[in-house]
Amino acid sequence: MIGCHLDSVRQTLYHYMSVLLSYRRSVSAMNCLSKDIVELVDLPDELILIIMNKVKPKVLLLCSIITIGNNRLEKLVLDKCDSIDLTFDYFQSPYKCLIQRFYSHVMPCIINNIQSLTLNIQHIPNVSIFAKRNSNGILPNLTHLKIMMGRQNPKTGTPYTLGNNLYGISRYNPLFSNIPQFVIMNKSSSARILSTFLCSSVMHSIVSFELDDDCILLNMFNDDSLFFHESIHLTHIRITLYRFEHCICLLNRLNSQLCSFTVNIMFVSLPNVDILSEIKSISCPNLKQLTITSYRTITDYEEFFLPVLQRLSNVEYLTLLLVVGLEGIRPNHFIDGFDLEKNIISYMPHLREFHFHIRSILKNSSHVEIKTIRQSFIQYQQQSVDCVIDYFHDNYGQCQIYSLPFIGTRLDFISNRFPLFDTNKTFSMVTKLLLYDDIQPFESSFFERVSRALPHLRTLDVMNGLEQQEKETTTTNNLEFINLTTLILFDIHLDYAEQLLCRTHLPCLVELAIDNDILLEIMTRDQQQAKDNCSRVETLRTWKPFYHSVDVLENFFPPYSYVKHPDEEKMKNK
């Protein structure tokens, strides 16, 4: 009976909040609402807070409570204003009108409460204008700032990741990771807005700064006097940089300020020997936590990358997620435990925790037994480590070494021989997977095991031109990837499109990148499961320009889902 009463109370409370929110949308409801407000405030604080926590996004709650004249409700909601999230796309929603009220009526009341602010780039001008008009260009108690790209389909609000760099020539480089989700901001208006904001007085009080992992500013270091110039209290940074020399510039600029540094690097290659002198000036005595991610192949590992790590001797917590290309350079063997001890660990005497996933690539590599790599980690008495070695027909081999538990969320160039399906569910948290094999096809049973082993998988890229050999034994069509949103089928045999589009249920698929001829073949077959999967696709990209009329797509894909190929845009602009 108690449970039934609680459910009844919750339903009643949700009704009251619904009435309260409706009030802000209709001035004519004032008289009717006053009675409901009295009933609402008769409830205990704990129950009112339950309702407040249910209202999403929080700005709706703030606009509905603050300045309505009820001091008790206003006090309750002000206590929840230390953290503000403005990542909801109000500009494309029915709540667009609330934004003006938020900045005119709510922000003046909560300006001293805000300690943490998360916002999309399109909100930056409003925040900047408000700060200049109301508080001398600052938010006085703001210490944590996180800026997101907010890349969403403008019609549906669905987040998307695929961009034009999906077509980069790097796809043709052996075992070279392509990263389609990066957005390189250079000369766009958003880039200028962001650069100006990061150099403004709003940054004066910031202690912790995070920029969307997928966002790169190319011109952020052109003027040494600007970037983070006002950030005198900044100690914690999470950012993505275009080149590794930008990381060196940032380390030198912040110096003793820096305590925690999480950086994603797009390219790590030695631009010129002059940069090596800047490495020698790095001094970050207070840097205790360091995370470096580079899924693009590092080509100058010993000459350029390691010297920077070796300057950061006070690091206590280190995480490295790296891909290292070793073709024609040192070392001429796969990176193993001996290398980590000699080149990294010995330079960090205060190191307490070291987590890593390092994939090293060799051309024409001699065969190495996996037990040889494992033996190199014998000295790791307090940490579990494992490794995988794989060789391909293109004369390339790769070795992946990783600490356990596995901390990465991405696996690239995974073949039939990778131990993806171990009983310990080592890789169960992986969300991005690139499958590659030029020795064996991926059979239906392989995809069935992938769906079970990686329940959180959101992005799948398949590269395999080999025909499936067990098609005759495939009788089930109940394969399902329940969280998969992005599917890339550029470099494949037709069998894999049939496997994943015609014989697999993809209830969350919203992005599809596919070879033109294979797409037309799939549509010709007019298979119901394929039509069902494609009916939810909001972003369709093809490997080559789609010279057919887009009307051809109308029976499979929603209107306006096709995104023009970059070459089509070039031809249009000629």
Side-chain angles (χ1 to χ4, degrees):
M1 290 295 293
I2 294 177
C4 294
H5 285 306
L6 286 176
D7 288 339
S8 177
V9 169
R10 289 192 185 100
Q11 292 174 6
T12 303
L13 292 176
Y14 298 158
H15 165 72
Y16 281 134
M17 187 55 74
S18 176
V19 173
L20 185 61
L21 292 176
S22 298
Y23 163 74
R24 301 313 312 173
R25 299 172 191 156
S26 176
V27 176
S28 62
M30 178 65 74
N31 294 332
C32 178
L33 180 66
S34 60
K35 178 177 179 293
D36 288 324
I37 290 181
V38 173
E39 294 176 357
L40 179 64
V41 296
D42 283 342
L43 298 170
D45 291 354
E46 293 78 6
L47 292 180
I48 296 177
L49 288 172
I50 289 175
I51 288 257
M52 289 182 174
N53 288 330
K54 292 290 184 180
V55 179
K56 305 294 181 183
K58 189 188 293 186
V59 168
L60 294 181
L61 175 69
L62 301 181
C63 288
S64 301
I65 297 286
I66 292 177
T67 72
I68 68 170
N70 189 295
N71 293 333
R72 180 181 169 221
L73 289 179
E74 189 166 305
K75 183 180 185 305
L76 287 174
V77 79
L78 284 175
D79 290 340
K80 301 170 64 64
C81 289
D82 59 318
S83 178
I84 300 297
D85 188 335
L86 289 174
T87 56
F88 183 81
D89 191 3
Y90 296 94
F91 302 104
Q92 300 288 344
S93 78
Y95 308 118
K96 180 178 179 180
C97 59
L98 288 177
I99 286 300
Q100 182 177 356
R101 171 174 169 74
F102 175 76
Y103 287 106
S104 63
H105 289 73
V106 176
M107 277 289 280
C109 297
I110 68 173
I111 185 172
N112 291 318
N113 299 67
I114 302 176
Q115 300 175 30
S116 175
L117 180 62
T118 303
L119 68 161
N120 287 341
I121 287 178
Q122 60 262 42
H123 284 278
I124 288 179
N126 288 329
V127 173
S128 297
I129 292 172
F130 173 84
K132 289 178 181 177
R133 291 178 176 175
N134 295 272
S135 55
N136 296 319
I138 66 171
L139 299 178
N141 294 310
L142 180 65
T143 57
H144 177 77
L145 176 63
K146 183 176 182 179
I147 299 177
M148 304 298 293
M149 281 293 298
R151 289 193 295 167
Q152 298 175 334
N153 185 302
K155 295 182 176 61
T156 64
T158 304
Y160 65 87
T161 60
L162 298 181
N164 284 345
N165 51 341
L166 179 68
Y167 303 97
I169 60 173
S170 58
R171 272 191 88 84
Y172 296 106
N173 295 340
L175 303 182
F176 190 98
S177 295
N178 200 38
I179 306 181
Q181 69 268 27
F182 277 164
V183 174
I184 302 174
M185 300 179 67
N186 188 12
K187 298 179 180 179
S188 67
S189 59
S190 294
R192 290 190 295 272
I193 290 171
L194 181 56
S195 295
T196 302
F197 187 69
L198 296 181
C199 301
S200 71
S201 54
V202 172
M203 296 294 296
H204 183 81
S205 61
I206 301 299
V207 173
S208 173
F209 172 73
E210 297 181 52
L211 182 61
D212 194 320
D213 288 343
D214 297 341
C215 176
I216 304 174
L217 277 176
L218 283 184
N219 59 351
M220 61 199 307
F221 293 101
N222 286 351
D223 188 338
D224 287 346
S225 66
L226 291 181
F227 193 68
F228 289 140
H229 176 64
E230 295 288 338
S231 307
I232 60 175
H233 301 292
L234 186 62
T235 59
H236 299 73
I237 296 180
R238 183 185 183 106
I239 197 170
T240 297
L241 301 177
Y242 186 67
R243 291 192 176 277
F244 195 51
E245 55 264 38
H246 297 164
C247 178
I248 296 171
C249 292
L250 192 54
L251 289 170
N252 274 322
R253 181 167 306 167
L254 295 176
N255 210 315
S256 59
Q257 278 185 235
L258 208 53
C259 296
S260 173
F261 189 34
T262 298
V263 59
N264 193 356
I265 310 291
M266 189 171 184
F267 291 111
V268 182
S269 58
L270 186 62
N272 54 69
V273 293
D274 295 337
I275 195 69
L276 296 178
S277 62
E278 294 188 32
I279 295 177
K280 296 179 181 179
S281 61
I282 294 175
S283 176
C284 298
N286 296 311
L287 182 59
K288 307 299 182 184
Q289 295 183 336
L290 175 64
T291 297
I292 301 180
T293 300
S294 183
Y295 285 116
R296 295 252 181 173
T297 306
I298 298 173
T299 57
D300 294 290
Y301 178 71
E302 280 201 345
E303 293 81 357
F304 190 32
F305 183 81
L306 285 178
V308 174
L309 275 188
Q310 292 165 359
R311 295 290 302 176
L312 305 173
S313 59
N314 289 311
V315 169
E316 298 178 6
Y317 303 92
L318 176 64
T319 299
L320 297 177
L321 304 172
L322 309 174
V323 179
V324 181
L326 304 173
E327 180 180 350
I329 59 174
R330 295 178 298 148
N332 57 1
H333 60 270
F334 293 129
I335 294 175
D336 58 19
F338 296 132
D339 291 297
L340 298 185
E341 178 65 37
K342 174 185 174 183
N343 296 319
I344 299 176
I345 297 174
S346 64
Y347 285 85
M348 297 181 176
H350 306 288
L351 194 61
R352 297 183 181 184
E353 293 183 10
F354 182 21
H355 302 285
F356 58 88
H357 175 207
I358 301 176
R359 183 168 69 93
S360 52
I361 306 165
L362 275 176
K363 184 179 181 181
N364 299 321
S365 59
S366 57
H367 186 80
V368 179
E369 295 290 340
I370 194 168
K371 66 179 181 180
T372 302
I373 303 295
R374 286 177 174 152
Q375 287 173 353
S376 70
F377 288 98
I378 291 178
Q379 71 271 32
Y380 284 68
Q381 300 295 329
Q382 298 180 345
Q383 186 174 23
S384 296
V385 177
D386 207 349
C387 60
V388 181
I389 300 178
D390 209 348
Y391 299 93
F392 300 96
H393 278 163
D394 61 6
N395 296 322
Y396 279 83
Q398 67 178 11
C399 175
Q400 305 200 45
I401 58 175
Y402 45 87
S403 57
L404 295 172
F406 187 78
I407 60 165
T409 58
R410 176 180 180 132
L411 288 172
D412 285 329
F413 294 93
I414 301 304
S415 74
N416 283 276
R417 296 162 295 284
F418 192 89
L420 191 62
F421 317 112
D422 63 3
T423 57
N424 296 324
K425 297 184 178 180
T426 302
F427 308 102
S428 61
M429 299 309 296
V430 166
T431 60
K432 295 184 178 70
L433 177 67
L434 191 162
L435 296 175
Y436 170 79
D437 206 331
D438 63 357
I439 297 177
Q440 296 176 258
F442 296 119
E443 304 293 354
S444 179
S445 58
F446 177 85
F447 288 103
E448 290 175 6
R449 295 197 300 273
V450 170
S451 68
R452 292 193 297 268
L454 307 182
H456 304 287
L457 187 64
R458 294 180 59 82
T459 300
L460 176 61
D461 189 347
V462 183
M463 301 174 69
N464 193 325
L466 302 175
E467 181 180 1
Q468 289 182 329
Q469 300 300 305
E470 301 176 4
K471 289 180 287 187
E472 304 302 325
T473 63
T474 302
T475 58
T476 59
N477 292 332
N478 58 358
L479 179 60
E480 184 175 35
F481 286 94
I482 59 173
N483 292 308
L484 191 72
T485 61
T486 304
L487 181 61
I488 304 173
L489 301 174
F490 277 168
D491 311 283
I492 62 164
H493 188 278
L494 172 63
D495 287 350
Y496 303 109
E498 293 179 339
Q499 173 75 65
L500 293 166
L501 291 176
C502 300
R503 299 200 302 274
T504 304
H505 183 40
L506 306 174
C508 295
L509 184 68
V510 293
E511 292 184 289
L512 175 63
I514 189 169
D515 177 88
N516 300 53
D517 295 334
I518 289 177
L519 173 62
L520 292 172
E521 178 65 26
I522 292 295
M523 290 193 300
T524 299
R525 300 188 180 187
D526 201 31
Q527 205 265 357
Q528 185 56 46
Q529 182 65 70
K531 294 177 73 171
D532 183 54
N533 288 329
C534 293
S535 67
R536 290 179 288 272
V537 170
E538 298 178 4
T539 301
L540 171 65
R541 289 180 176 268
T542 54
W543 179 235
K544 298 176 182 178
F546 195 76
Y547 294 116
H548 304 270
S549 169
V550 293
D551 294 341
V552 176
L553 305 172
E554 65 181 8
N555 290 329
F556 265 73
F557 299 92
Y560 310 110
S561 58
Y562 175 67
V563 178
K564 287 185 178 180
H565 189 281
D567 288 349
E568 292 181 68
E569 293 293 342
K570 291 178 183 178
M571 294 175 61
K572 178 182 177 181
N573 294 330
K574 284 185 178 181

PDB file of all heavy atoms in Angstrom, residues 491-515:
ATOM      1  N   ASP A 491      34.766   0.258 -47.546  1.00  0.00           N
ATOM      2  CA  ASP A 491      35.750  -0.670 -48.115  1.00  0.00           C
ATOM      3  C   ASP A 491      35.343  -2.110 -47.813  1.00  0.00           C
ATOM      4  O   ASP A 491      35.964  -2.797 -47.011  1.00  0.00           O
ATOM      5  CB  ASP A 491      37.134  -0.377 -47.538  1.00  0.00           C
ATOM      6  CG  ASP A 491      37.475   1.099 -47.620  1.00  0.00           C
ATOM      7  OD1 ASP A 491      37.829   1.550 -48.720  1.00  0.00           O
ATOM      8  OD2 ASP A 491      37.374   1.785 -46.585  1.00  0.00           O
ATOM      9  N   ILE A 492      34.284  -2.573 -48.474  1.00  0.00           N
ATOM     10  CA  ILE A 492      33.722  -3.873 -48.111  1.00  0.00           C
ATOM     11  C   ILE A 492      33.292  -4.672 -49.339  1.00  0.00           C
ATOM     12  O   ILE A 492      33.145  -4.131 -50.441  1.00  0.00           O
ATOM     13  CB  ILE A 492      32.495  -3.713 -47.191  1.00  0.00           C
ATOM     14  CG1 ILE A 492      31.393  -2.938 -47.927  1.00  0.00           C
ATOM     15  CG2 ILE A 492      32.852  -3.066 -45.884  1.00  0.00           C
ATOM     16  CD1 ILE A 492      30.028  -3.059 -47.284  1.00  0.00           C
ATOM     17  N   HIS A 493      33.080  -5.949 -49.114  1.00  0.00           N
ATOM     18  CA  HIS A 493      32.368  -6.799 -50.060  1.00  0.00           C
ATOM     19  C   HIS A 493      30.877  -6.606 -49.802  1.00  0.00           C
ATOM     20  O   HIS A 493      30.450  -6.312 -48.688  1.00  0.00           O
ATOM     21  CB  HIS A 493      32.780  -8.263 -49.848  1.00  0.00           C
ATOM     22  CG  HIS A 493      32.260  -9.194 -50.892  1.00  0.00           C
ATOM     23  ND1 HIS A 493      30.973  -9.710 -50.861  1.00  0.00           N
ATOM     24  CD2 HIS A 493      32.842  -9.713 -52.011  1.00  0.00           C
ATOM     25  CE1 HIS A 493      30.792 -10.503 -51.911  1.00  0.00           C
ATOM     26  NE2 HIS A 493      31.908 -10.526 -52.628  1.00  0.00           N
ATOM     27  N   LEU A 494      30.081  -6.817 -50.825  1.00  0.00           N
ATOM     28  CA  LEU A 494      28.628  -6.656 -50.715  1.00  0.00           C
ATOM     29  C   LEU A 494      28.046  -7.477 -49.567  1.00  0.00           C
ATOM     30  O   LEU A 494      27.056  -7.076 -48.935  1.00  0.00           O
ATOM     31  CB  LEU A 494      27.968  -7.065 -52.042  1.00  0.00           C
ATOM     32  CG  LEU A 494      26.440  -7.136 -52.069  1.00  0.00           C
ATOM     33  CD1 LEU A 494      25.828  -5.761 -51.801  1.00  0.00           C
ATOM     34  CD2 LEU A 494      25.962  -7.691 -53.404  1.00  0.00           C
ATOM     35  N   ASP A 495      28.668  -8.603 -49.258  1.00  0.00           N
ATOM     36  CA  ASP A 495      28.136  -9.485 -48.216  1.00  0.00           C
ATOM     37  C   ASP A 495      27.938  -8.781 -46.878  1.00  0.00           C
ATOM     38  O   ASP A 495      26.999  -9.094 -46.127  1.00  0.00           O
ATOM     39  CB  ASP A 495      29.072 -10.683 -48.006  1.00  0.00           C
ATOM     40  CG  ASP A 495      28.981 -11.676 -49.154  1.00  0.00           C
ATOM     41  OD1 ASP A 495      28.071 -11.532 -49.997  1.00  0.00           O
ATOM     42  OD2 ASP A 495      29.835 -12.586 -49.217  1.00  0.00           O
ATOM     43  N   TYR A 496      28.822  -7.821 -46.553  1.00  0.00           N
ATOM     44  CA  TYR A 496      28.746  -7.186 -45.235  1.00  0.00           C
ATOM     45  C   TYR A 496      27.605  -6.168 -45.166  1.00  0.00           C
ATOM     46  O   TYR A 496      27.035  -5.942 -44.092  1.00  0.00           O
ATOM     47  CB  TYR A 496      30.092  -6.551 -44.876  1.00  0.00           C
ATOM     48  CG  TYR A 496      31.197  -7.584 -44.925  1.00  0.00           C
ATOM     49  CD1 TYR A 496      32.157  -7.569 -45.921  1.00  0.00           C
ATOM     50  CD2 TYR A 496      31.225  -8.624 -43.998  1.00  0.00           C
ATOM     51  CE1 TYR A 496      33.140  -8.539 -45.989  1.00  0.00           C
ATOM     52  CE2 TYR A 496      32.204  -9.606 -44.058  1.00  0.00           C
ATOM     53  CZ  TYR A 496      33.154  -9.564 -45.057  1.00  0.00           C
ATOM     54  OH  TYR A 496      34.100 -10.543 -45.122  1.00  0.00           O
ATOM     55  N   ALA A 497      27.284  -5.565 -46.288  1.00  0.00           N
ATOM     56  CA  ALA A 497      26.102  -4.695 -46.326  1.00  0.00           C
ATOM     57  C   ALA A 497      24.838  -5.531 -46.172  1.00  0.00           C
ATOM     58  O   ALA A 497      23.896  -5.136 -45.475  1.00  0.00           O
ATOM     59  CB  ALA A 497      26.068  -3.910 -47.627  1.00  0.00           C
ATOM     60  N   GLU A 498      24.807  -6.694 -46.824  1.00  0.00           N
ATOM     61  CA  GLU A 498      23.670  -7.591 -46.661  1.00  0.00           C
ATOM     62  C   GLU A 498      23.561  -8.073 -45.214  1.00  0.00           C
ATOM     63  O   GLU A 498      22.471  -8.150 -44.648  1.00  0.00           O
ATOM     64  CB  GLU A 498      23.814  -8.791 -47.600  1.00  0.00           C
ATOM     65  CG  GLU A 498      23.697  -8.439 -49.079  1.00  0.00           C
ATOM     66  CD  GLU A 498      23.870  -9.654 -49.964  1.00  0.00           C
ATOM     67  OE1 GLU A 498      24.456 -10.659 -49.500  1.00  0.00           O
ATOM     68  OE2 GLU A 498      23.419  -9.620 -51.121  1.00  0.00           O
ATOM     69  N   GLN A 499      24.726  -8.391 -44.624  1.00  0.00           N
ATOM     70  CA  GLN A 499      24.746  -8.878 -43.250  1.00  0.00           C
ATOM     71  C   GLN A 499      24.204  -7.828 -42.283  1.00  0.00           C
ATOM     72  O   GLN A 499      23.366  -8.119 -41.425  1.00  0.00           O
ATOM     73  CB  GLN A 499      26.187  -9.228 -42.863  1.00  0.00           C
ATOM     74  CG  GLN A 499      26.391  -9.588 -41.402  1.00  0.00           C
ATOM     75  CD  GLN A 499      25.867 -10.966 -41.073  1.00  0.00           C
ATOM     76  OE1 GLN A 499      26.375 -11.955 -41.580  1.00  0.00           O
ATOM     77  NE2 GLN A 499      24.852 -11.052 -40.222  1.00  0.00           N
ATOM     78  N   LEU A 500      24.665  -6.598 -42.421  1.00  0.00           N
ATOM     79  CA  LEU A 500      24.380  -5.569 -41.420  1.00  0.00           C
ATOM     80  C   LEU A 500      23.117  -4.758 -41.713  1.00  0.00           C
ATOM     81  O   LEU A 500      22.519  -4.205 -40.788  1.00  0.00           O
ATOM     82  CB  LEU A 500      25.580  -4.636 -41.282  1.00  0.00           C
ATOM     83  CG  LEU A 500      26.828  -5.311 -40.680  1.00  0.00           C
ATOM     84  CD1 LEU A 500      28.062  -4.455 -40.887  1.00  0.00           C
ATOM     85  CD2 LEU A 500      26.620  -5.588 -39.197  1.00  0.00           C
ATOM     86  N   LEU A 501      22.728  -4.667 -42.966  1.00  0.00           N
ATOM     87  CA  LEU A 501      21.526  -3.901 -43.293  1.00  0.00           C
ATOM     88  C   LEU A 501      20.308  -4.791 -43.539  1.00  0.00           C
ATOM     89  O   LEU A 501      19.180  -4.412 -43.192  1.00  0.00           O
ATOM     90  CB  LEU A 501      21.775  -3.024 -44.527  1.00  0.00           C
ATOM     91  CG  LEU A 501      22.756  -1.856 -44.326  1.00  0.00           C
ATOM     92  CD1 LEU A 501      22.985  -1.123 -45.642  1.00  0.00           C
ATOM     93  CD2 LEU A 501      22.259  -0.890 -43.259  1.00  0.00           C
ATOM     94  N   CYS A 502      20.537  -5.973 -44.114  1.00  0.00           N
ATOM     95  CA  CYS A 502      19.406  -6.839 -44.484  1.00  0.00           C
ATOM     96  C   CYS A 502      19.102  -7.921 -43.459  1.00  0.00           C
ATOM     97  O   CYS A 502      17.972  -8.418 -43.405  1.00  0.00           O
ATOM     98  CB  CYS A 502      19.681  -7.504 -45.839  1.00  0.00           C
ATOM     99  SG  CYS A 502      19.920  -6.345 -47.193  1.00  0.00           S
ATOM    100  N   ARG A 503      20.103  -8.319 -42.647  1.00  0.00           N
ATOM    101  CA  ARG A 503      19.884  -9.422 -41.715  1.00  0.00           C
ATOM    102  C   ARG A 503      20.167  -9.018 -40.267  1.00  0.00           C
ATOM    103  O   ARG A 503      20.382  -9.877 -39.419  1.00  0.00           O
ATOM    104  CB  ARG A 503      20.769 -10.622 -42.087  1.00  0.00           C
ATOM    105  CG  ARG A 503      20.499 -11.177 -43.475  1.00  0.00           C
ATOM    106  CD  ARG A 503      21.018 -12.612 -43.605  1.00  0.00           C
ATOM    107  NE  ARG A 503      22.431 -12.724 -43.335  1.00  0.00           N
ATOM    108  CZ  ARG A 503      23.393 -12.541 -44.229  1.00  0.00           C
ATOM    109  NH1 ARG A 503      23.079 -12.216 -45.482  1.00  0.00           N
ATOM    110  NH2 ARG A 503      24.661 -12.675 -43.903  1.00  0.00           N
ATOM    111  N   THR A 504      20.170  -7.710 -39.989  1.00  0.00           N
ATOM    112  CA  THR A 504      20.461  -7.229 -38.644  1.00  0.00           C
ATOM    113  C   THR A 504      19.491  -6.109 -38.285  1.00  0.00           C
ATOM    114  O   THR A 504      19.180  -5.254 -39.123  1.00  0.00           O
ATOM    115  CB  THR A 504      21.913  -6.699 -38.560  1.00  0.00           C
ATOM    116  OG1 THR A 504      22.817  -7.725 -38.964  1.00  0.00           O
ATOM    117  CG2 THR A 504      22.245  -6.265 -37.136  1.00  0.00           C
ATOM    118  N   HIS A 505      19.036  -6.115 -37.053  1.00  0.00           N
ATOM    119  CA  HIS A 505      18.150  -5.054 -36.572  1.00  0.00           C
ATOM    120  C   HIS A 505      18.989  -3.946 -35.962  1.00  0.00           C
ATOM    121  O   HIS A 505      19.761  -4.174 -35.034  1.00  0.00           O
ATOM    122  CB  HIS A 505      17.186  -5.622 -35.534  1.00  0.00           C
ATOM    123  CG  HIS A 505      16.193  -4.631 -35.020  1.00  0.00           C
ATOM    124  ND1 HIS A 505      15.570  -3.687 -35.823  1.00  0.00           N
ATOM    125  CD2 HIS A 505      15.706  -4.423 -33.759  1.00  0.00           C
ATOM    126  CE1 HIS A 505      14.760  -2.952 -35.110  1.00  0.00           C
ATOM    127  NE2 HIS A 505      14.818  -3.371 -33.848  1.00  0.00           N
ATOM    128  N   LEU A 506      18.870  -2.737 -36.506  1.00  0.00           N
ATOM    129  CA  LEU A 506      19.645  -1.575 -36.050  1.00  0.00           C
ATOM    130  C   LEU A 506      18.665  -0.481 -35.632  1.00  0.00           C
ATOM    131  O   LEU A 506      18.438   0.491 -36.366  1.00  0.00           O
ATOM    132  CB  LEU A 506      20.572  -1.072 -37.166  1.00  0.00           C
ATOM    133  CG  LEU A 506      21.510  -2.120 -37.790  1.00  0.00           C
ATOM    134  CD1 LEU A 506      22.262  -1.521 -38.973  1.00  0.00           C
ATOM    135  CD2 LEU A 506      22.497  -2.660 -36.758  1.00  0.00           C
ATOM    136  N   PRO A 507      18.083  -0.581 -34.454  1.00  0.00           N
ATOM    137  CA  PRO A 507      16.997   0.337 -34.063  1.00  0.00           C
ATOM    138  C   PRO A 507      17.436   1.772 -33.848  1.00  0.00           C
ATOM    139  O   PRO A 507      16.588   2.672 -33.852  1.00  0.00           O
ATOM    140  CB  PRO A 507      16.479  -0.277 -32.757  1.00  0.00           C
ATOM    141  CG  PRO A 507      17.638  -1.047 -32.205  1.00  0.00           C
ATOM    142  CD  PRO A 507      18.357  -1.583 -33.403  1.00  0.00           C
ATOM    143  N   CYS A 508      18.744   2.017 -33.644  1.00  0.00           N
ATOM    144  CA  CYS A 508      19.216   3.377 -33.356  1.00  0.00           C
ATOM    145  C   CYS A 508      20.062   3.969 -34.476  1.00  0.00           C
ATOM    146  O   CYS A 508      20.673   5.034 -34.299  1.00  0.00           O
ATOM    147  CB  CYS A 508      20.023   3.383 -32.053  1.00  0.00           C
ATOM    148  SG  CYS A 508      19.067   2.969 -30.587  1.00  0.00           S
ATOM    149  N   LEU A 509      20.126   3.311 -35.630  1.00  0.00           N
ATOM    150  CA  LEU A 509      20.991   3.775 -36.713  1.00  0.00           C
ATOM    151  C   LEU A 509      20.516   5.123 -37.246  1.00  0.00           C
ATOM    152  O   LEU A 509      19.389   5.247 -37.727  1.00  0.00           O
ATOM    153  CB  LEU A 509      21.019   2.745 -37.843  1.00  0.00           C
ATOM    154  CG  LEU A 509      21.963   3.058 -39.007  1.00  0.00           C
ATOM    155  CD1 LEU A 509      23.412   2.976 -38.543  1.00  0.00           C
ATOM    156  CD2 LEU A 509      21.728   2.113 -40.181  1.00  0.00           C
ATOM    157  N   VAL A 510      21.383   6.144 -37.171  1.00  0.00           N
ATOM    158  CA  VAL A 510      21.044   7.469 -37.695  1.00  0.00           C
ATOM    159  C   VAL A 510      22.086   7.986 -38.676  1.00  0.00           C
ATOM    160  O   VAL A 510      21.848   8.969 -39.377  1.00  0.00           O
ATOM    161  CB  VAL A 510      20.862   8.496 -36.552  1.00  0.00           C
ATOM    162  CG1 VAL A 510      19.637   8.175 -35.719  1.00  0.00           C
ATOM    163  CG2 VAL A 510      22.107   8.592 -35.683  1.00  0.00           C
ATOM    164  N   GLU A 511      23.259   7.326 -38.764  1.00  0.00           N
ATOM    165  CA  GLU A 511      24.312   7.739 -39.704  1.00  0.00           C
ATOM    166  C   GLU A 511      24.792   6.532 -40.491  1.00  0.00           C
ATOM    167  O   GLU A 511      25.143   5.503 -39.909  1.00  0.00           O
ATOM    168  CB  GLU A 511      25.504   8.348 -38.968  1.00  0.00           C
ATOM    169  CG  GLU A 511      25.224   9.679 -38.299  1.00  0.00           C
ATOM    170  CD  GLU A 511      26.497  10.255 -37.677  1.00  0.00           C
ATOM    171  OE1 GLU A 511      26.966   9.707 -36.668  1.00  0.00           O
ATOM    172  OE2 GLU A 511      27.020  11.246 -38.222  1.00  0.00           O
ATOM    173  N   LEU A 512      24.810   6.662 -41.803  1.00  0.00           N
ATOM    174  CA  LEU A 512      25.277   5.588 -42.668  1.00  0.00           C
ATOM    175  C   LEU A 512      26.202   6.156 -43.731  1.00  0.00           C
ATOM    176  O   LEU A 512      25.841   7.095 -44.442  1.00  0.00           O
ATOM    177  CB  LEU A 512      24.088   4.877 -43.330  1.00  0.00           C
ATOM    178  CG  LEU A 512      24.434   3.802 -44.364  1.00  0.00           C
ATOM    179  CD1 LEU A 512      25.192   2.639 -43.723  1.00  0.00           C
ATOM    180  CD2 LEU A 512      23.168   3.295 -45.059  1.00  0.00           C
ATOM    181  N   ALA A 513      27.408   5.599 -43.816  1.00  0.00           N
ATOM    182  CA  ALA A 513      28.351   5.926 -44.891  1.00  0.00           C
ATOM    183  C   ALA A 513      28.590   4.636 -45.662  1.00  0.00           C
ATOM    184  O   ALA A 513      28.959   3.616 -45.076  1.00  0.00           O
ATOM    185  CB  ALA A 513      29.658   6.461 -44.314  1.00  0.00           C
ATOM    186  N   ILE A 514      28.393   4.650 -46.993  1.00  0.00           N
ATOM    187  CA  ILE A 514      28.368   3.393 -47.740  1.00  0.00           C
ATOM    188  C   ILE A 514      28.856   3.611 -49.168  1.00  0.00           C
ATOM    189  O   ILE A 514      28.716   4.702 -49.733  1.00  0.00           O
ATOM    190  CB  ILE A 514      26.930   2.798 -47.725  1.00  0.00           C
ATOM    191  CG1 ILE A 514      26.908   1.387 -48.289  1.00  0.00           C
ATOM    192  CG2 ILE A 514      25.952   3.718 -48.434  1.00  0.00           C
ATOM    193  CD1 ILE A 514      25.593   0.658 -48.056  1.00  0.00           C
ATOM    194  N   ASP A 515      29.434   2.568 -49.736  1.00  0.00           N
ATOM    195  CA  ASP A 515      29.857   2.577 -51.134  1.00  0.00           C
ATOM    196  C   ASP A 515      28.635   2.738 -52.046  1.00  0.00           C
ATOM    197  O   ASP A 515      27.585   2.123 -51.809  1.00  0.00           O
ATOM    198  CB  ASP A 515      30.590   1.263 -51.435  1.00  0.00           C
ATOM    199  CG  ASP A 515      31.005   1.145 -52.889  1.00  0.00           C
ATOM    200  OD1 ASP A 515      32.092   1.608 -53.224  1.00  0.00           O
ATOM    201  OD2 ASP A 515      30.209   0.592 -53.684  1.00  0.00           O
TER     202      ASP A 515
END
